[in-house]
Amino acid sequence: MSNPQALARRLGTFDAVVIGLGSMIGAGVFAAFTPAAVAAGSGLLIGLVVAAVVAFCNATSSAQLAAAYPTSGGTYIYGRERLGPWSGYLAGWGFVIGKTASAAAMAMTFAAYAAPPGWERPVAIAAVVVLAVVNYHGVTRTARLTRLLVLAVLAALAVGVAASWGGSAPSPANIPGEGLLAHGWYGILQSAGLLFFAFAGYARIATMGEEVRNPRRAIPRAIGIALGIAVVLYAVIAVTLLAVLGPDGVAGTSTPLAAAVGAGTFSWAVPVVRAGAAVASLGALLALIAGLGRTTLAMARHHDLPHWLAAVHPRYRVPHRAEVTLAVVICVIVAVADLRGAIGFSSFGVLIYYLVANIAAFTQPAEDRRYPKALQVFGALACVILVATLPPLSAGLGVLMFAAGIILRVVRLRR
């Protein structure tokens, strides 16, 4: 007899890959390169390689854990099972606070590209409401809409790259700028921490482990495929931006790909790129709401969040209370704050999340092991280093939010 509080397994490997891509090619392509260029100049290329390597190590840990624990919640569950309740709680708390801020930032990024002046906040709130309704009506609808959004974004990026190379005079000499090491290794590592934000979307696949068919096989495959596609895509975009704008040009604009296209004679493609940015933000927001709902569900099941959030809709088989609550919180944040600069804060929470994942995977027994322990050791150390090199304001806010989470759990346990 099926469990009425269990989610339905309706996603295949392709759907899982698409949901991961929808998360990874949203914010990063159109937003993360600017702060990375500010930190490292052309050294962002090295930062991109570092971020990709760290992401690969983390992905192997997530895949190995997801195969052994194919349920909702991702590293929150893995940390609880392998390391204890506190480790799981810190991972889940980091995911929820970081990705809630990211969701608000994505909604406002969409509005910045799509809304008339003065209407940004109402349009952002409307986007959150519409996508929350899509998620509420079932994960298959989420996967179908994400598939369409990913195809639209890939088409816009292809147009943007082609227009940048064909409509202007890109110079390979622009790529190194003053030198890959001109900003030092601290700047490069800081850019890696910021660009890691772009790769973190594969976590969404693991957090939805309870809804994937044949999860022990499908989740590891989906994570590897989605990450591989994202790495190639980001490398192409990074080289294109540096060749057209140079490091200073990338650092000096909040819309680098649109600026690269506008620098040439193919200015007709600028609206296509801007539309692609808006669609990418919607795709990332859709996947964020889905992943946040599943992690909140898992934490509520274990009473680390209010237990009434653990309800699953009897018809649509989604964590409807969690998703509605999160949508309300995201709308409130959009209404009172400007979070488009929240990449560093999000990276802080996500890096802590993956630190727990690497340590948890390191403790798995031989029968559950798919990858060498050295990958988990390197991944954990890299997470610590990247956290330490994030911008001070982002790191400070992250520490404060984790302190608040610890206090909340201590209070709950005493009660």
Side-chain angles (χ1 to χ4, degrees), residues 375-400:
L375 290 176
Q376 286 117 47
V377 173
F378 180 83
L381 291 175
C383 286
V384 173
I385 292 171
L386 294 186
V387 162
T389 56
L390 285 173
L393 178 60
S394 299
L397 288 173
V399 170
L400 288 176

Side-chain angles (χ1 to χ4, degrees), residues 292-312:
L292 279 165
R294 276 64 183 176
T295 300
T296 302
L297 167 71
M299 294 182 75
R301 283 173 171 172
H302 291 89
H303 299 276
D304 279 331
L305 290 175
H307 189 64
W308 64 271
L309 292 172
V312 173

